[in-house]
Amino acid sequence: MTMPLRFPPGFRWGTATAAYQIEGAAREDGRTPSIWDTFSRTPGRVRNGDTGDIAADHYHRTAEDIALLRRLGVTDYRFSIAWPRVQPTGRGPAVQQGLDFYRRLTDDLREAGIRPVATLYHWDLPQELEDAGGWPQRETAYRFAEYAGLAAEALGDRVATWTTLNEPWCAAFLGYGSGVHAPGRTSAVASLRAAHHLTLAHGLAVGALRAAVRPQTDPAEVSLTLNLHAVRAHSDEPGDRDAARRIDAVGNRIFLDPVFHGRLPKDLVEDTAQVTDWSFVRDGDLATAATPIDSLGINYYSPTEVAAGTETDPGEPSPWAGAERHVRFVPVAGPRTAMDWPVDADGLYELLGRLRDELPGVPLMVTENGAAYDDYADPSGQVRDPERVAYLHAHLSAVHRALADGADVRGYFLWSLLDNFEWAYGYSKRFGIVHVDFATQRRTLKDSARWYADVIARGGLLTSG
């Protein structure tokens, strides 16, 4: 016996991608290097020496990829705009050829009946801005606001939702703290400075977007996407609870508190006192960061479990500024994806419940959720991925539970439409519901794509009852 789990009328069903991961065309039409071009071309930084030079060649295959979106029946498509394609040096006027690509993309999406959801920053900082200091420098926030205005002026009559930043935690702490992401720097103070300037950039960009988009004729939502950590203490012992508090401060509240409350977490400032005095935060910054937005995007893949640390030097660069000596990460039991991430849909349910309680009145969107598995085309040409289907079913069920418990979740974006360049893992990890043969660029719908299309057509899930 099966029972339907219906989602509300108007629930937005989408898929998500990012420019550097799929576009390719790295040197075409005026585009200049981003930090990820530089990072991926640096020996030893990316598995197998892979780069995003070609990626999934989406730049030349947009018509084919939009046709895939139509087959899926999505209502929305979340993509990112490549900053160095639009404003190659991070300063000055826009390059019209770059804007024309996004004009065509958004026009074609709208013609297909699909709402364009544009992310302004998915980690591809123009290399010239990094050479000038990157996100640890305050000036980068102002350059981002200028770029946001240029994009909105060109595309404001086409884009339905603007997202300022995608996962600023990763940009700050993996890029400048642990160094496993571009630009590959390893400094705790630089990571904290970057986090603040990304938050400031968000607020400045919200203002630029509001100024450029005409709400009377071109209504558009403005949003921010965070990869919030579903943090659990390993036990109820005080040391474990304190470890969870520390990770929550530097992983979640470092962005939530400025954006929604106009303040820095007091405990974060105390935790990081040996790293910085936070003098880079100027009067008015936090009020700017708290410029109102229309919704919050949440990216979720797996939970984080922590216990009290050993107070010893971790021995390698850490993304957890101020917490690295006090926290030990505990493996979460259960099945794992090809990324070695635990599969635990309860973490998404917990996170949505927390935001329901802490941010009443703020609409929520699940802007990324998905899993990598070792997919391949069988002799018949089919790509069977039952583990991904099970993962997606469990996590959509968690969203449905959260909705039933009062969370204001407006939509769900599956990560990802296409197999793509998976950052430091290169092409070794496949998140797509569409298989890409990178040698030929042939696209093949996986079983998960057909399953997702059925979910969208039905407006919900079928579950055993």
Side-chain angles (χ1 to χ4, degrees):
M1 179 180 177
T2 58
M3 298 173 59
L5 296 180
R6 302 287 185 190
F7 284 73
F11 192 81
R12 288 153 59 176
W13 299 98
T15 59
T17 62
Y20 190 72
Q21 293 182 272
I22 67 166
E23 282 184 3
R27 298 179 176 89
E28 294 185 33
D29 295 335
R31 184 188 181 280
T32 57
S34 73
I35 55 175
W36 269 99
D37 293 282
T38 302
F39 187 81
S40 65
R41 293 168 190 164
T42 303
R45 291 295 201 178
V46 175
R47 188 170 297 183
N48 301 320
D50 293 338
T51 74
D53 286 1
I54 299 173
D57 199 29
H58 173 72
Y59 192 78
H60 301 113
R61 298 172 184 268
T62 53
E64 182 179 0
D65 293 339
I66 291 173
L68 291 170
L69 291 167
R70 293 188 70 170
R71 288 182 66 181
L72 293 171
V74 298
T75 62
D76 293 58
Y77 173 57
R78 179 175 178 253
F79 63 95
S80 77
I81 297 171
W83 189 350
R85 197 179 294 286
V86 167
Q87 195 188 36
T89 66
R91 301 173 185 274
V95 171
Q96 292 306 311
Q97 286 175 301
L99 285 174
D100 284 345
F101 169 70
Y102 297 107
R103 290 187 179 106
R104 291 191 300 272
L105 173 62
T106 49
D107 284 346
D108 291 349
L109 287 167
R110 289 163 63 94
E111 185 176 346
I114 299 168
R115 298 174 76 257
V117 177
T119 299
L120 285 166
Y121 188 72
H122 201 129
W123 309 348
D124 45 6
L125 184 71
Q127 182 60 44
E128 286 199 25
L129 290 184
E130 174 59 24
D131 292 343
W135 285 112
Q137 293 300 313
R138 185 179 183 86
E139 179 66 15
T140 306
Y142 293 96
R143 300 282 63 76
F144 179 70
E146 178 185 66
Y147 152 64
L150 292 173
E153 287 168 9
L155 303 170
D157 59 343
R158 296 165 165 87
V159 170
T161 300
W162 291 97
T163 300
T164 55
L165 307 172
N166 179 79
E167 299 188 356
W169 186 88
C170 292
F173 292 99
L174 301 184
Y176 294 92
S178 66
V180 298
H181 277 194
R185 290 160 63 179
T186 54
S187 164
V189 67
S191 68
L192 293 167
R193 290 176 63 96
H196 173 65
H197 293 139
L198 282 155
T199 309
L200 174 63
H202 157 74
L204 292 168
V206 173
L209 290 166
R210 301 262 191 233
V213 175
R214 300 177 299 278
Q216 297 81 7
T217 57
D218 307 316
E221 300 171 3
V222 178
S223 184
L224 167 70
T225 283
L226 302 176
N227 59 311
L228 296 174
H229 300 78
V231 186
R232 299 169 180 163
H234 182 58
S235 77
D236 204 36
E237 292 296 319
D240 292 356
R241 292 201 309 271
D242 185 65
R245 177 200 62 75
R246 288 175 180 272
I247 293 302
D248 186 58
V250 75
N252 295 334
R253 288 182 284 115
I254 191 172
F255 297 109
L256 288 173
D257 278 19
V259 170
F260 292 102
H261 305 297
R263 67 188 183 217
L264 283 171
K266 181 180 178 182
D267 59 331
L268 173 69
V269 175
E270 294 170 351
D271 290 345
T272 56
Q274 291 185 325
V275 177
T276 179
D277 61 3
W278 291 85
S279 58
F280 48 83
V281 179
R282 299 185 185 175
D283 289 346
D285 283 5
L286 296 173
T288 298
T291 303
I293 56 177
D294 300 306
S295 63
L296 174 65
I298 302 101
N299 293 355
Y300 173 85
Y301 293 92
S302 59
T304 301
E305 186 170 330
V306 295
T310 61
E311 302 287 332
T312 59
D313 189 334
E316 58 186 26
S318 169
W320 302 103
E324 58 269 53
R325 293 176 180 267
H326 304 273
V327 174
R328 175 172 56 90
F329 291 89
V330 179
V332 176
R336 308 185 86 78
T337 71
M339 298 288 289
D340 198 32
W341 295 347
V343 178
D344 187 332
D346 287 342
L348 178 56
Y349 172 77
E350 294 161 8
L351 196 54
L352 294 173
R354 169 185 175 172
L355 295 171
R356 173 202 63 210
D357 295 341
E358 293 185 4
L359 301 176
V362 178
L364 306 174
M365 300 285 292
V366 178
T367 39
E368 286 185 26
N369 178 240
Y373 290 103
D374 295 324
D375 306 319
Y376 62 91
D378 66 20
S380 70
Q382 301 297 308
V383 182
R384 312 292 186 189
D385 57 342
E387 291 174 310
R388 181 175 290 106
V389 171
Y391 178 99
L392 296 171
H393 191 287
H395 285 76
L396 273 169
S397 296
V399 174
H400 190 273
R401 277 195 292 149
L403 279 163
D405 288 347
D408 185 10
V409 186
R410 304 288 180 89
Y412 175 91
F413 290 76
L414 190 157
W415 184 271
S416 177
L417 174 65
L418 303 169
D419 290 336
N420 53 42
F421 176 85
E422 185 48 43
W423 308 115
Y425 291 92
Y427 297 100
S428 68
K429 305 298 180 185
R430 293 180 176 270
F431 275 90
I433 56 172
V434 175
H435 182 273
V436 177
D437 180 330
F438 293 107
T440 65
Q441 294 297 336
R442 177 181 173 85
R443 274 89 158 124
T444 302
L445 292 178
K446 302 177 186 180
D447 284 356
S448 57
R450 296 184 178 87
W451 175 86
Y452 191 46
D454 287 344
V455 169
I456 295 170
R458 188 181 298 113
L461 301 167
L462 291 178
T463 187
S464 298

